[in-house]
């Protein structure tokens, strides 16, 4: 291949890996360098989704690496692999639509399961194996960064893997809204309907953005019914359960509740550690166990923050010749924690609640069920839900080993009661101010 050897290509990969660790993926090793002609290095990824990722995200990183390795002003171009069926023939409407492409990272094998997400994961697997037949619609909710998009896209990949000609439309709710507005403006509502109603699976991410747009909601409702009646799979995600999305109309809420609604909670320490190991492996980075533990123990927010912390560690390690150890991690994360407020702990909550109700922490954490204890305990659980990122299981663990449904029930009871009881509402507000003075 010209005077550009496989050896130089490996050097290009190493350079990308060292300088742009956030872009690097283990499957980069499968990219085949084709030739170097007229200053252009052509390289061929092995699948279409790899090709799309590379041409979208990595063009300049590779070009820069190739220039560094060859010492010449070369450019890297990725070739579209000539494999598999073409994606369905684009409608004119579809062509200029900026549909979100699936990320090759978001597959089931890269998803870590634990008590926080097991149900959602199992439901997605079942749907992928039997679209339109088991849980329809499937509604996945949870707060930001907990893996909803990952699971939805993994489900799309898995359906495609089993049935490569399945027509799957994965889209953010915003895009759905924009498409519809555009269709109305350009008098192309008919095409819009064709586009959205002739699919085997419609997957809409972040449906909460549909909330206050009446006409779009109407259109969505009809799209939903058409697909549902012809047993096509519908998968939806949102940051809240259907009933808690403000102004999502009743009939949509009841449609969603008619299928399966599953929630994702914040990951516990073990899951966070497993996610770090998985994310590191995906980037071909070796993480010592003490580093895994340190990062997972210090970054307790959502999984996206965890990933950000990992990238910081990898980036900093470049200054130490690629070595990752506890010192490097401390230095990197040390930079991460201060811009967060110190996390609120269960002990903080216990202090405030016991002071207010005049009860003992040991009782709140014990088994007693008398109302004088049960109520303050429910308040604790409510505050823990609101103010910490602990999972339901973890909170239950602090309060006499109660299970997650008890915690969920407690938090719901208090938040319902708060709406009717202004004194309770003021008490809670006071407690929150004490716990979180700046906010
Ligand atoms: P959401 O859509 O709920 O806001 P994402 O799906 O975008 O969250 O997840 C944020 C990041 O965290 C992604 O990089 C995703 O791969 C990762 N992530 C979340 N949960 C998991 C998990 N259980 N296993 C592996 N990665 C996860
Ligand atoms: Mg998302």
């Amino acid at each position: 291949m010209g005077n550009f050897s496989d050896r130089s290509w490996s050097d290009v990969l190493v350079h990308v890996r060292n300088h742009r660790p956030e872009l690097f993926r283990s499957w980069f090793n499968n990219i085949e360098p084709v030739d170097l002609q007229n200053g252009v290095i052509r390289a061929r990824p092995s699948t279409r989704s790899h090709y799309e990722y590379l041409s979208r995200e990595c063009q300049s990183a590779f070009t820069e690496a190739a220039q560094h390795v060859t010492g010449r002003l070369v450019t890297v171009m990725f070739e579209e692999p000539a494999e598999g069926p073409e994606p369905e023939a684009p409608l004119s409407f579809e062509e200029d639509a900026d549909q979100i492409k699936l990320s090759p990272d978001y597959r089931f094998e890269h998803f870590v399961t634990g008590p926080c997400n097991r149900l959602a994961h199992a439901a997605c697997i079942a749907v992928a194996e039997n679209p339109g037949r088991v849980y329809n619609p499937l509604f996945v909710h949870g707060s930001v960064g907990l893996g909803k998009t990952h699971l939805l896209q993994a489900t799309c990949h898995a359906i495609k893997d089993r049935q490569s000609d399945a027509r799957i439309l994965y889209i953010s709710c915003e895009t759905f809204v924009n498409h519809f507005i555009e269709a109305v403006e350009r008098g192309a509502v008919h095409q819009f309907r064709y586009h959205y109603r002739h699919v085997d699976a419609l997957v809409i991410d972040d449906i909460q953005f549909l909330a206050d747009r009446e006409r779009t909601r109407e259109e969505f409702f009809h799209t939903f019914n058409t697909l549902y009646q012809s047993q096509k799979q519908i998968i939806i995600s949102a940051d809240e359960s259907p009933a808690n999305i403000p102004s999502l109309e009743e009939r949509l809420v009841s449609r969603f509740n008619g299928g399966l609604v599953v929630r994702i909670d914040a990951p516990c320490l073990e899951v966070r550690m497993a996610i770090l190991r998985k994310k590191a492996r995906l980037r071909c980075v070796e993480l010592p166990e003490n580093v895994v533990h340190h990062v997972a123990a210090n970054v307790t927010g959502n999984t996206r923050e965890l990933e950000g912390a990992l990238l910081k560690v990898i980036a900093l390690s470049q200054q130490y010749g690629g070595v990752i150890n506890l010192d490097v991690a401390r230095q990197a994360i040390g930079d991460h924690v201060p811009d967060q407020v110190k996390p609120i702990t269960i002990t903080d909550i216990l202090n405030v609640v016991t002071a207010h109700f005049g009860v003992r922490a040991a009782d709140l954490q014990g088994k007693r069920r008398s109302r004088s204890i049960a109520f303050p305990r429910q308040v604790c659980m409510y505050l823990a839900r609101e103010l910490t990122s602990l999972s339901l299981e973890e909170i239950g663990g602090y309060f006499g080993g109660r299970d997650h449904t008890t915690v969920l029930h407690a938090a719901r009871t208090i938040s319902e009661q708060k709406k009717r009881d202004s004194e309770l509402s003021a008490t809670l507000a006071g407690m929150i101010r004490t716990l979180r003075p700046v906010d």
Side-chain angles (χ1 to χ4, degrees), residues 105-106 110-114 116-117 142-152 205-206 237 264 267 271 274-275 278-279 302-305 307:
D105 288 350
Y106 292 167
H110 301 145
F111 192 82
V112 176
T113 57
C116 52
N117 58 27
S143 64
V144 66
L146 296 185
K148 301 181 296 293
T149 297
H150 189 140
L151 271 185
L152 260 50
D205 211 350
D206 290 319
S237 83
I264 308 185
V271 171
I275 290 175
K278 195 148 265 193
K279 295 280 172 190
N302 66 46
T303 310
R304 200 169 291 152
E305 288 169 25
E307 216 174 355

